[in-house]
Structures are given as C-alpha cells and as structure tokens.
Amino acid sequence: MSQTKERIIAAATHLFNEQGFVNVRLQNIADELSISVGNLAYHFKNKEAIIAKAYEKTGNELKIILSTYRASPDLRDLDFQLDAYYEFIKKYPFYFMDILEIKRNHPHLHEDRKELIIKMRVQFEKRIEYNQSRGILNRDMEEAQMIQLADNLCTMVTFWHTSQAIKDECDDLSSFKCCVWIQLVPFLTTKGMEEYEAFIKPGLKVI
C-alpha cells in the first residue's frame, strides 16, 4: 500500500475512533488530511473501500495477538496476551464499539471479525483445559461451565471499552486485567493460587 493510502487509512481510523465510522464522511477524512475529496477518491473510490482496508489492517493486528497463544507455559501466557488485547482495544476502539453497525452495513466485514472473535474464545477454552491438565484450575468444572467461562472472558475483552465508556468508569490496563482475572480466581487450585500470587497479582491494583 502506498504512503498516501497509509495516511488516508490512518486519518480515517483516527476519525472512526473518535466519532464512530457511521458518522464519518469522505469530506471529514479529506479535511483531516488537508486534501480534496477528489484527491481522496483517486486512492479510494468510496468510504466503503476505506472502511474495508481499515478493518483489514486492524484485523491483521488482532491476528498477530492471537498468534502469541501459549507463548509461556504458566499463567503469564494469558496475562501477556491481555496486555496486547488492551493495547489493541485502546488503539482501535472503533473495531469493537461499532460491531452492530458493521454487521448491519458490512456483513462480509462482520464475518471476518466474527471468525477472529471465535478464535479468541476457542483459545480461552484451550487455556482452561491446559491449566486444568497441569493442576492450576479445578478439574471438577463441568464442560458447560468451562464453555461459559471462556465465553465470558471473550465477551469481557470484546466489550470492555464499550462497557466502560457507557458507564463513564475507569478504563485502564489494571482495571481491565482485574476484571478478567476475577473470573478465573475462584477456579484456581492451591497450586494455581501460588502461581497467581507469584506471577499475576503483583501487577494488579486489585484482587
């Protein structure tokens, strides 16, 4: 992609983050770059093309985060990935905040994003199973309970920023990670609590 196209996508992403993609017009993007709409249209024929490229770019960054799965053999694996998820959420709030609008207006983009969210949820399921196998999480958890826990964790990541914005509540890394970890702590074994106390809790403000 050319430097000009990169600048256009960066400007559009900035506006999508601030205003929501449905409220941003080509003129707004052109004004952000101090160019004409005609110049903008030379590179992207319409707003839909810009949205598609912006979602492709952000989706690729999310794929990189998902590829870091099981980078560590202990609970720090999830903690490291939560850091990356939070950075992504703060960098691209529009990606999750505009979910319904994208589903209604750009179903093909929604399907691409849905695949990534499903992969995220599956990773949570596999992490739970893995940590059960090494005695960190309770093995007595029913399968339905495990699936629901994984779904809750995925939902928390996906809708964290939206939820905090609606409630006008604190949106920082530690608060985000505390809300995720508090879902898992009740299921930790004695061995799991020892690992949690050693590697995770020192980096949190709460719990």
Side-chain angles (χ1 to χ4, degrees), residues 121 124-125 146-156:
R121 189 188 68 213
F124 280 126
E125 290 180 12
M146 182 272 288
I147 292 173
Q148 185 60 61
L149 176 58
D151 193 59
N152 289 347
L153 296 173
C154 184
T155 299
M156 195 164 294

Side-chain angles (χ1 to χ4, degrees), residues 102-167:
I102 284 293
K103 182 178 181 179
R104 291 178 182 130
N105 297 287
H106 304 276
H108 62 292
L109 296 179
H110 172 69
E111 288 302 315
D112 291 342
R113 180 174 50 192
K114 187 169 71 173
E115 284 185 15
L116 296 178
I117 292 174
I118 289 173
K119 184 173 182 179
M120 184 194 304
R121 189 188 68 213
V122 170
Q123 283 190 1
F124 280 126
E125 290 180 12
K126 290 186 179 298
R127 273 199 179 94
I128 293 170
E129 292 172 346
Y130 169 68
N131 284 295
Q132 284 178 317
S133 72
R134 66 189 192 93
I136 297 299
L137 288 173
N138 195 327
R139 289 176 178 270
D140 296 333
M141 196 185 309
E142 296 181 1
E143 183 179 3
Q145 190 176 25
M146 182 272 288
I147 292 173
Q148 185 60 61
L149 176 58
D151 193 59
N152 289 347
L153 296 173
C154 184
T155 299
M156 195 164 294
V157 171
T158 305
F159 293 104
W160 165 260
H161 185 70
T162 303
S163 174
Q164 297 307 100
I166 289 171
K167 296 182 291 185

Side-chain angles (χ1 to χ4, degrees), residues 22-103:
V22 72
N23 298 312
V24 176
R25 298 180 293 110
L26 286 179
Q27 186 65 61
N28 301 130
I29 300 171
D31 290 345
E32 182 77 6
L33 293 163
S34 298
I35 63 175
S36 68
V37 173
N39 192 355
L40 184 65
Y42 174 79
H43 298 282
F44 291 98
K45 62 181 180 179
N46 51 39
K47 178 182 168 182
E48 285 65 33
I50 295 175
I51 292 171
K53 184 57 69 173
Y55 267 79
E56 177 186 335
K57 184 176 184 297
T58 51
N60 286 339
E61 291 196 28
L62 184 54
K63 288 177 184 176
I64 292 172
I65 296 172
L66 290 166
S67 73
T68 63
Y69 171 65
R70 295 284 290 276
S72 174
D74 51 49
L75 290 177
R76 284 174 291 188
D77 170 56
L78 173 57
D79 205 57
F80 294 153
Q81 199 172 48
L82 290 178
D83 288 336
Y85 279 141
Y86 184 78
E87 184 178 342
F88 178 87
I89 291 167
K90 295 298 288 184
K91 186 177 179 181
Y92 303 115
F94 81 96
Y95 189 78
F96 290 134
M97 292 188 80
D98 291 344
I99 281 181
L100 289 180
E101 291 300 329
I102 284 293
K103 182 178 181 179

